Each structure stands twice: as C-alpha cells, then as structure tokens.
C-alpha cells in the first residue's frame, strides 16, 4: 500500500526516471538495450526512486516494446531501485497475461515492482490490428483495470488464477493525459501519473480533479500524484540545448509521419523545423527543463510549487548516452529531491 501526505514544497520529493530506450541513429536495438541497463544502474546509484519503461510499438527509435521482458533484464542488473511500467498499454493485452507477467516479476524481485497502465494503444492503427486488437478495446479500460487488480487479490477459489500474481503486492498506477484517467484513478483509489512530458495541456485540471474526487481504498488512503517532465542537465545551457535537439527532431519526425531512430543533435534547430512545427513541439514539450542545474532550478522549483506533486518522473530521450548519464548525475545539484541513499 502507498501512503502519503500532501507534499509541501519546502520539503524534498522523490524523483524517478522514465526510459523510452531510444535507439540512436546508426545504431541498433542491442546497443539501446545495453544502454538501458547502464541508465537504470546510474539512476539507482544517484538515488532515483523508480526506473520505468514505456510500451511503444512499430517505432524504429524505441526499443522498449517487450516491456515486461526488458524489466526482467533490468531487475537482474539492479538491486534497490523500484522498476516498473510507465506504462503497459492495457488495450493491447489481456489483463490475465499482464497479471501473470508482473506477478512473475514480483516473484523474482519482490516489492520493487510497479505496474502503470494506460488506455492509449501506444501505436498506430495498423499495428493495433497486428496485435489482434481493435480500437474499441480501449472502451473496456475501466473494467480491464479492475479485472487486472482482481488477479492480484489473495482470494481462494477464483475461477481463473493468475499464477504467480495471486496475493502479491504489485501497486497498480493509472497513467493519463486527460481527465478520463484522473477520474478513474480517483474512483478506484489508485495512484495517478499525468503524462505532462508530451501532453501538458490538461495537467492542472486533471490533478485537481483527481485530488478533489479521490476515494480512499484498500490500495491507497490518500491521493498520490506523480507528474512527468523532460529534464536535461548539462554543464552549460548551450550544451543542454544542443543535446535536446535530438528529442525535438524526433518529435517533428513523428508528426511528419516519418518516425526514425533517435537523431544526432544539431547546431541550428530552426533550420530543421517550420514555424508551425516549432510551435507544435514547444507546446507539446512545454514541461521541459533544459540547462544547467543553476538555470533550471528556479523554473523547476516554480513548477513543483504550482502543481505540488508527490513525486516527479523525468525522461531524457536523446541521442547521446553520455549526456543522458551526465544529466542523471547532475540531479543531485538541484537539491530539490529526496534521493535514496
């Protein structure tokens, strides 16, 4: 069970990391998976609270497609950091299979496992059909979440038992970027994560709705909100902005209908995108903190004071692995987060 009190921003909060496992331009998935292990180990060493993976399909630049399989690999190469999904796109799967997979992870790695679930397919229509699913499956999300949770209940005599999930403590989180997920998480008494790192428009409304309508449950007694942001720290603002052009290019390529491997950074991003694309990217990635710890800290502090999350999860989806590792290490200099010793 997760318990918390409303975070006061005079205190530090936990920080976690969301990894999309980017495949660098000119490289391959094997290298990306190797890099993911190093990222997870670095996050653990720095003191991050969680390391989560996101499920995406049919994208050449993302290698976290088989999320539960990769989590098993990450778990074998870490020892203390919580690991989980941010998230499993539940319409793509039968709840029983997800329960079996995460029950297996929890059996292997104890109470380090988190299960974040989302309603979006995380892919395109053609891939959805290849998964043998339909777009209408998303309409069953509330029922599927409850069925999934049921498989973890320590009940005897279940018609279908999810081995080895039965009776294990695997916290289920609701992920969302709209009011729907906030309402569902509040109604079920579950922790809630808002995907403000790429869809920030309804952040404040969703967090307020969740907190005001939260119903205590056997899983959680008080609301617990985690919000997502992009965070890229470097020794200079110029270096951080340069490295961030990888993420910006990737976002534009996706919107152009040409998803690619993670591009190398470029010196002049304005020569790459149109004014309309620039507006789209800056709107979508508005919750991004890019620069030195000194330049980022006041902006990030203001954001945390405004939203007052219980936890922050950050992503750093860029080409340069060393820049990503360096960014993780520089989090200590922010002095805003309670890092695990």
């Amino acid at each position: 069970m997760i318990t918390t009190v409303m975070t006061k921003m005079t205190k530090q909060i936990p920080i976690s990391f969301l990894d999309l496992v980017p495949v660098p331009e000119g490289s391959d998935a094997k290298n990306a998976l190797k890099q993911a292990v190093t990222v997870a180990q670095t996050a653990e060493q720095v003191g991050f609270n969680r390391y989560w993976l996101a499920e995406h399909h049919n994208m050449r630049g993302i290698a976290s497609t088989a999320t539960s399989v990769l989590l098993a690999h990450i778990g074998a190469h870490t020892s203390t950091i919580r690991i989980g999904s941010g998230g499993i796109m539940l319409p793509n799967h039968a709840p029983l299979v997800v329960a079996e997979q995460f029950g297996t992870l929890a059996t292997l790695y104890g109470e380090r496992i988190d299960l974040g679930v989302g309603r979006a397919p995380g892919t395109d229509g053609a891939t959805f059909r290849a998964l043998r699913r339909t777009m209408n499956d998303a309409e069953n999300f509330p029922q599927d979440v409850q069925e999934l949770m049921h498989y973890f209940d320590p009940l005897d005599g279940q018609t279908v038992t999810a081995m080895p999930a039965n009776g294990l403590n695997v916290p289920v989180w609701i992920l969302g970027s709209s009011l729907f997920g906030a309402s569902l998480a509040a109604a079920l008494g579950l922790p809630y994560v808002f995907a403000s790192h790429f869809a920030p428009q309804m952040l404040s409304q969703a967090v307020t709705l969740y907190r005001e309508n939260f119903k205590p449950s056997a899983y959680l007694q008080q609301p617990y909100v985690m919000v997502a942001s992009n965070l890229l720290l470097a020794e200079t603002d110029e270096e951080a902005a340069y490295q961030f052009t990888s993420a910006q290019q990737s976002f534009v390529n996706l919107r152009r209908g040409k998803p690619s491997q993670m591009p190398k950074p470029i010196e002049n991003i304005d020569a790459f995108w149109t004014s309309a694309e620039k507006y789209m990217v800056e709107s979508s990635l508005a919750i991004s903190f890019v620069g030195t710890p000194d330049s980022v800290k006041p902006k990030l502090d203001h954001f945390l004071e405004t939203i007052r999350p219980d936890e922050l999860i950050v992503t750093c989806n860029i080409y340069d692995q060393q820049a990503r590792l360096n960014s993780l290490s520089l989090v200590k200099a922010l002095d805003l987060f309670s890092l695990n010793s």
Side-chain angles (χ1 to χ4, degrees), residues 1 3 5 10 26 37 101 116 122 213-214 232 258 263 303 316 336:
M1 177 183 295
T3 57
V5 296
T10 54
V37 172
Q101 292 173 348
N213 294 276
F214 180 84
L232 176 51
K258 299 178 180 179
F303 172 72
C316 186
L336 292 171

Side-chain angles (χ1 to χ4, degrees), residues 5 12 15 46 48 51 79 89 118 129 157 181 187 207 261 266 272 291:
V5 296
Q12 295 178 321
I15 184 170
V46 171
F48 278 64
Y51 172 89
S79 58
M89 299 298 102
R129 291 189 291 274
V207 170
Q261 293 182 321
I266 55 177
F272 173 78

Side-chain angles (χ1 to χ4, degrees), residues 49 57 137 216 219 246 273 339:
N49 191 34
H57 299 282
D137 290 325
Y219 308 99
S246 291
W273 56 21
L339 299 171

